[in-house]
Amino acid sequence: MAQLQTKTVKPETKRTSVTDRLSRRILSQALEQTADIVMITDVSGNIEYVNHAFENCTGFSLTEVLGQKPNLLRSGKHNDIFYSKLWDTIRRGDVFRGVIENRRKDNSIYYEEKTITPLIDDNGVITNYVSTGRDVSENILTQSRLRHLAYCDILTGLPNRVQLRHELSQAISHAERHNESLAVLFLDLDRFKNINDSLGHDLGDRLLRDVAHRLRHTLRNDDTIARNGGDEFVILLRGPVDENDVVRVAEKLFNSLTAPFILDGQKHQVSASIGISLYPQDHVTMRDLLKGADIAMYQAKGQGGSRYCFYSHDMEVRVLERMELEQCLQRGITNNELFNVYQPQYELSSQRLIGAEALLRWHHPKMGYISPDRFIPVAEDTGDIITLGERVLSEACRQLIKWRQKGLILPHISVNLSPRQLSHPNISSKVSETLIETGLEPDALVLELTESALMQHPEQAARSLNKLKSIGVRLSVDDFGTGHSSLSYLRRFPLDCIKVDRSFVQDLPNNKEASALVEAIVKMAHSLSMSVVAEGVETDEQLEFLQQTGCEGAQGYLLGRPMSANDFASQQRY
Ligand code: C2E
Ligand code: MG
Ligand code: MG
């Protein structure tokens, strides 16, 4: 804050004639009335004079300070070296210039931009020191406020990304010089967008502040934690650190978030994903370290969140591919590159068409067809599946009505519902709105839910299924046999149909285990009053076996591939 600047001043004898012409009264009035703070001391530093501006600024009166030393204004903010340099300068006969942080009579701090000039008589001897100055507190405070704003995140009080980059670059230089390691952790809250959307931004902000507070207090003082923006925090662990140390810190950070956050009297559970990159093993530049940790964080999120991942090069390749796919999908949705196809389902006893399953297709203008097995999981993670699923549903319902208007007899249309859709609080009202809008009767709609989606959160799934059932739609378990269902849950879910997974059907009828399993599934379904549809039927032998087991329905390339709505209509018998 204080700067020392010195300049030698020589006594000027020629000026005397001019000053002699001015009356002493004017000179002393100038001193008294000037807006600058003036203090005159003797050579030993005893105060002999202060003006009005001094009194106004410091709160000390002339009589209080006479004979005292200027150190009665000391704030303690400058050390002894500072004062001894000041005295050395003026005792040499040089001028001191600098900003001094002083203390007023009421103990408040002010900043004085000061010049101290030694008064030298005709013999070249210093007789007094004259200090003149200005109170520059306002400027200094504005400057420091601006500095604070530039380097600090206003919401959380943590360093912001600018300060983070500054500290990280210093830490890298230090680690380089001392052959040390360091770790960069990217921490991002899981599903914060949902919290923010449902609670509103004020409570979302409160949550971020509380999270920041807990994280900060979990770390040591010499670790840096900064807010990188949104719900993303970056932690810098200075070396030496190895993987075990970092794991311990990551676990401490997770633990700090386990207790619920109370917002507006409500408890909220928050989890986070952490990506880690290490200097120098993974990367040596700031940019790469940050990018590496970001990629690892993305990977941790992709694996379901609430976990940490260390960066690796292979991961980077995978993640970048996946990010590209995400961006393409976003564009694809906007540009209407996705559409429904329909695969027929037949009743085995009568060989009549009983339904069609709507399946989503994506034709990318450059990459061509992209399989739903690739893009559905992406849409599930990004949340795009909600919009996509709604489109598939309303399009499928509308399509069934259109086909019927053309005279096609088709009792059911099946639509796949993703786990994310099933756990969405509005799912049943969305479905019933769609039915009303399209004019389709509820029991013509079959919603297919994979076994694993049902078993992820069985209690929650049961609640959603009951609501959907109360609308009157039919419910079916998809890919049955792949998701470790608990039979007791299966009994409690209001299901109408089981779809036997293709992996069992493809081994029929020669593989004994597959045959026994399919027979058992059909028996079990019937005992629970559910019907069975076999997926992926490709051969006559499979079809025959399924007919013999009493399986009600079949779907597969043998009977019809997924096709456009027009092809579907033209291939069916009316
Ligand atoms: P899924 O619901 O089990 O759909 C059946 C899949 O089996 C479809 O694959 C279908 O084309 C394929 N398939 C049907 N018959 C045969 C056959 O005889 N042989 C073989 N090898 N395959 C057959 P697709 O269309 O690639 O869809 C894959 C998965 O993607 C679907 O499995 C479903 O889980 C998901 N998916 C597709 N569309 C949607 C959608 O609109 N919403 C949601 N949430 N998921 C969808
Ligand atoms: Mg399906
Ligand atoms: Mg299936």
Side-chain angles (χ1 to χ4, degrees), residues 357-359 414-416 448-450 478-479 499 535 555:
E357 177 176 6
L359 292 160
S414 298
V415 172
N416 294 287
E448 295 190 4
L449 305 126
T450 59
D478 205 350
D479 304 344
K499 288 187 84 177
E535 297 184 308
Q555 178 182 346

Side-chain angles (χ1 to χ4, degrees), residues 417 419 422 448-458 461 476-487 489-490 493 495 498-501 504 521 524:
L417 218 59
L422 182 66
E448 295 190 4
L449 305 126
T450 59
E451 199 185 2
S452 44
L454 296 178
M455 290 304 149
Q456 249 175 34
H457 304 287
S476 171
V477 208
D478 205 350
D479 304 344
F480 188 80
T482 57
H484 316 288
S485 292
S486 134
L487 278 180
Y489 270 117
L490 211 57
F493 293 143
L495 297 163
I498 280 179
K499 288 187 84 177
V500 181
D501 190 62
F504 299 105
I521 292 171
M524 182 206 65

Side-chain angles (χ1 to χ4, degrees), residues 153 285 505:
D153 172 56
T285 68
V505 176

